[in-house]
Every structure is written in structure tokens, then in C-alpha cells.
Amino acid sequence: MRINEQDLRRIADAARLEFTEAELAEWAEELNRILQYWAKLEEVETTGVPPFVQAWPTSNRWREDTVKPSLPREDALQNASAVQDGHFKVVQSSE
Amino acid sequence: MELCDLTIHELKRLYAQKEVGPSTVLAAVVRRIKEVEAGTGAYIDLELESAFEQARTAEARLKAGKPLGELEGIPVAVTDNLCRAGKKTTCASRMLAEFVPPNTATAVRNLTAQGAIILGRTNMDEFAMGSSTEYSAVRKPKNPWDPQRTPGGACGGSAAAVAAGETIAALGTDTGGAIRLPAAFCGVTGLKPTYGLVSRYGLVALAASLDQIGPLAKDAQDCALLLNLLTGYDPLDSTSVRKERMDYTRDLEQTLSGRKIGLPREYFGAELDEAVRRVLMEAVAQLEALGAEIVELSLELTKYALPAYYIIAAAEASSNLARFDGIRYRQAAPVGEELNAYYTRARTKGFGPEVKRRIMLGTYILSAEGYKTYYQKAQQVRTLVSQEFKSAFQEVEALITPTAPTTAFKMGERLEDPLSMYSSDLYTVPASLAGLPAISVPCGFVGGLPVGLQIIGRPFAENTILNIAHQYQKRTDYHKARPPRQKEGTV
């Protein structure tokens, strides 16, 4: 399975990354080389093999629903790029 | 040998006998840092002022005969992906250059609660993605044994600092070998615990189904001492296992007589450097001389572990790193642009090349086209790799392998070739996929560069691999060798 520059543009868009045209050409070649090596897994017979889910069986861990102090708002906001009225401030995302 | 070259257990004995105090030890460590750090580049930042203050407190407790913590007055370094409240945590990335977490990682808290002195944050590959620490956005650290070579990665800073005597011990994190590989390249002892044994609360995640925090130290005994403090159920980490705490120093002195240790053929194939193989076979002979019964066996899926690992790690990384949107991690505020344009600008500027590569690959793998061919297939192979280990462990108690196919490679040599960089992890990723504990111990030299022996254990059998490592270290001196001193400005 090969990816072309158009696929890459779509992936970059989903990943919220930007590349120049020259970078895209370079990346397409490089990523295809990696994907081609990864395709080596096709050699392994996996019919009926369940995908790995977790290392050790664990079940739900219940706890009492008790009220405890939480992170103070000021601390929660300390890394915000912008704050307004005690909230993370972002730019408008829809009309 | 100077004080900074000693182990935790040696310093504890000196403290107990009142032969030397924490301030003197810290001063020796700082002297060494001043002497070599410009060359090694092991640290991202040092916190010497607070370190000296803590040393004075420890000194006073010691003098007053007050009860001491297990690590009272012992200098320790931590990788820069472990959060500490109020201290910068950058993952060696521009994305987190100004990030100051509000919380402290449980693993770090467990050490400081026992009196450990935190020296500073060590260098690493950006977001722990890499095998040479050359992907650090801060600077490229050097191998203390040869400044032309990398210390390995991703936790190359921690390994280099321990090797060079710039700390007594360090914490690191291991996703596919990030503790073990640099431990091997720098000639120190590094342990990746069983998945779930050490709480990861406060660790900036790379791949959540693989990440574990563990110690890098000067010998197996120190790793056992540190592991004793790192383990324990933590309700703040949903993958932390509920197990009774145990004393990992308990079995160190057990004899290896009659112990069955497996030697998997696939780890000694064509990829393994011939000189490294010879050193490894000497180590095997030593273990036999200690009474272990060496059993050759086969783990046929070994060569598929590397692609399976990188597929899963890339997928999980792309998902984990989606949170870095620029809004919540102290980036410059948006200026008159649309939200997605802002995200894209912040991420494009904040991430380095390897991180972008893995995000791109991971995003593709988790897309409708890539999912079945890559992600699902890799998870199926992971099941098989895991089963293969399980059946091997019905026959033997532990497995011994090389930690890496070669000794430390040259700076720049693999930087532009991701597949060759990834291949350094060939022997460390299988145990990661299966969640197994594994330790790397120094077992000799090739051309003046350290070689690492990897011991892989059954789930939660850290006591067994530590026992084997300790018995091996009692018979050998490789872990006591220290790198030649690189003077400031000579590299």
C-alpha cells in the first residue's frame, strides 16, 4: 500500500500539521519506505488471532463516589495560552 | 574512584557509618557536573540551589540521629518527561518549552518522600521518540565513553549522567527500550519493570500500552533498591496493578545453581555484530559457571516484533500527542486566525521531525485505509509474540539476549535514516510488546565501548532478573568500569 502526496496532505490536515510542497515530496518517499518495511507483517499468519488488548487481565475498579478537593482553577489554567473570566480562551471556531 | 562514582548502597553505608555526609557527596557530584557536563550535555536543567538545601537538611537529620528515608541524601536525576509541580517539564520539545505542570509524578514523589535529592532534568529524545537522543530539541548529548558517539535513547541523558558520575542514579522511561538501550550504550544498569508495576501518573505519555518508568543505576543492587520505592498500587493510574509490595533485594543473593535460562537463537542472528556476539557468549559462559543451565530455544516471531512495535507506538503517539493544541500548554496566544489554523501553526512549529513523522504515520495507520493492514495486524502479531514468550517461560525462568545489535553508533550516522535508527531497538521491543520486565547489564567492551546483556523475565518476576544480574555482577567488574574523563571543551 503506497501513499501519494495527496494522501499525505489529507493525513497532515487530520493531524493538524503543515508541510511545504517540497517537504511533502520528501515525506511521501520516506513514509512509503517505512510502510513498505512494516508490511513485512503480512508474512505472519494471523487468521483467527485476537488483537492484543491488554497485558494483564484487569476488571473494573469501583470506588466510593466521595467528594474530594479538586485542582484549583488557577492551577488548572496556569498553562493556558490565554485566559478570560476563569476559562481557557480560544478563537472562534464556527460562524 | 570519587564519591560521585559510588553506588546508592555504598553511599548508604558511608552515611550510616558517618564517614561522609550528603553535602560532601553532592559537592562531589556537582564538581563532576562542572567538569564534564559541557561535553556530555546530559542535563536539560540543573536545580543545584534546592539540591544543596536538601543536602543540608539530610545532613542535619543524619547528625541528629533522626530516622532516615531510604534515599536520604542521595542525588538522583529525572528525565524531562516526569512532571513535578511547579517545575518545568519540557520532554525536550519546543512544544512544552514553557510548560509548568500542576502535579507531580507518583514515581518521583515516591523517591523524594524517601529523601532523594533531585539534581535536575535529563536530556531525552523529543517526547521520548528516538534511539540516540539526537532528536532532543535542546541539544544532542554525547556518549561519555566516546564523544563522537550517541549515548543511545530515548533516555540518553539519564544514562550518560549515571555513567559520567553526574548523578548517583536516575529515572527514565522505557516504551520500546528507552532505558535499556542507553544503559547498554553507556555501560550502566537499566531496568524496565513489568507493565503496570510502576505508576505512570505524571508521566507525559508516548504510547500508553507500552510506557513504563524505571531506574538507571550503577548496578543491579541499586536498581532493586530503587524499584522497592517505585512500586505500589496507585489509584491515579488506571493501569497500575494491585499487587502486594515486595522487597526486590530479597532474592539478590540466591544461587543461580540449577536455574534454567533460555538463549533465544533469533537474537543472535545476522543483525548482531560479530564482536558483540563474542562478548555476549563470554557472559553466557560466566552464567553457566555460576551454575545456571543454559537452554537454547527459538522465538520465531522476534523479527516481526520491530514493525509491530513501531506501528503500535506510532498509532498511540499520534493519539496521545493530539492534546498538544497550543491552547493548554503555554504557547503564544492565537492572533486573529481561525482555530484549526492556530492548532496547525502551533503544532507545526512546536514538534520536531521525528515526532511529526510518527504522528503522520500513526494518523495514517489509524485511518480507514491503514487500520486493517497495519494497526490490527500489528495487534494480532503482538498477541502471538506474547504467547511465544509465555510458552518459552514454561521451560525457562529467564531469557538472555544482547540489549542491542551493536555498540553505541556515531552521532549523525542514523539521524537521516529512520529505519536504521529504529533497528537499534530490535532486541528491546519484543519484551515491551509483551509487557515483560527486562534489565540491561554491562557485560564487556568492544573497541572501548560498553556492551549490554539483556535479561528478560516472566511477568512481575523482577526479583529473578535482578538476582541473575546481581550474581553476574558479583563475578564480573564491567559495571565498575567508568568512562575516561572528557574535559570541558575537548569535545
Side-chain angles (χ1 to χ4, degrees), chain A residues 30 43-44 50 56 78-79, chain B residues 100 195 304 330 357 377 383:
Chain A
E30 187 176 84
E43 294 166 22
V44 186
W56 328 118
Q78 75 186 21
N79 291 291
Chain B
V100 179
Y195 184 77
Y304 299 108
R330 274 206 200 178
R357 185 150 44 226
K377 186 78 178 179
T383 299

Side-chain angles (χ1 to χ4, degrees), chain A residues 1-3 7-19 23-24 27 30-56 58 60-63 71 75-82 88-94, chain B residues 98-102 194-195 233 238 240-242 301 303-304 306-308 310-311 326-334 337-340 342-344 347-348 353 356-357 359-361 363-365 369 373-374 377-384 386 417-419 433-435 459-460:
Chain A
M1 203 178 282
R2 286 188 67 83
I3 48 174
D7 298 327
L8 265 189
R9 234 173 264 127
R10 205 167 24 82
I11 300 166
D13 194 45
R16 305 277 185 265
L17 290 171
E18 203 165 33
F19 298 94
E23 280 173 326
L24 278 180
W27 279 70
E30 187 176 84
L31 298 194
N32 275 315
R33 213 154 47 85
I34 296 171
L35 289 170
Q36 196 186 345
Y37 167 63
W38 287 356
K40 185 188 170 78
L41 291 187
E42 281 167 20
E43 294 166 22
V44 186
E45 175 55 54
T46 52
T47 313
V49 176
F52 191 92
V53 178
Q54 54 182 2
W56 328 118
T58 44
N60 290 335
R61 287 178 186 149
W62 303 102
R63 61 168 170 79
L71 192 65
D75 295 359
L77 289 170
Q78 75 186 21
N79 291 291
S81 60
F88 285 90
K89 187 184 173 187
V90 294
V91 285
Q92 189 175 340
S93 58
S94 59
Chain B
E98 300 302 324
F99 174 61
V100 179
T194 307
Y195 184 77
Y233 173 65
S238 60
S240 161
V241 293
R242 259 184 229 265
L301 292 168
K303 65 177 169 185
Y304 299 108
L306 192 68
Y310 270 95
I311 289 168
I327 302 284
R328 293 170 292 165
Y329 298 91
R330 274 206 200 178
Q331 299 286 299
E337 60 201 323
E338 186 262 336
L339 189 60
N340 278 335
Y342 172 73
Y343 287 158
T344 303
R347 289 166 64 80
T348 302
K356 285 180 184 166
R357 185 150 44 226
I359 291 176
M360 289 292 285
L361 287 163
T363 306
Y364 173 66
I365 285 159
E369 308 99 278
T373 316
Y374 295 101
K377 186 78 178 179
Q379 292 290 25
Q380 288 175 310
V381 170
R382 188 176 186 183
T383 299
L384 294 174
S386 195
D417 180 2
L419 282 177
L433 283 180
F460 304 104

Side-chain angles (χ1 to χ4, degrees), chain B residues 216-239:
Chain B
L216 291 107
K218 287 163 190 158
D219 63 16
Q221 200 177 339
D222 274 8
C223 284
L225 284 171
L226 289 164
L227 191 63
N228 274 351
L229 308 178
L230 292 171
T231 54
Y233 173 65
D234 181 5
L236 296 172
D237 173 2
S238 60
T239 61

Side-chain angles (χ1 to χ4, degrees), chain B residues 175-209:
Chain B
T175 306
I179 288 175
R180 291 163 284 160
L181 182 70
F185 280 8
C186 294
V188 303
T189 305
L191 171 72
K192 180 202 93 76
T194 307
Y195 184 77
L197 186 66
V198 176
S199 164
R200 299 176 306 172
Y201 176 73
L203 161 67
V204 182
L206 161 56
S209 79

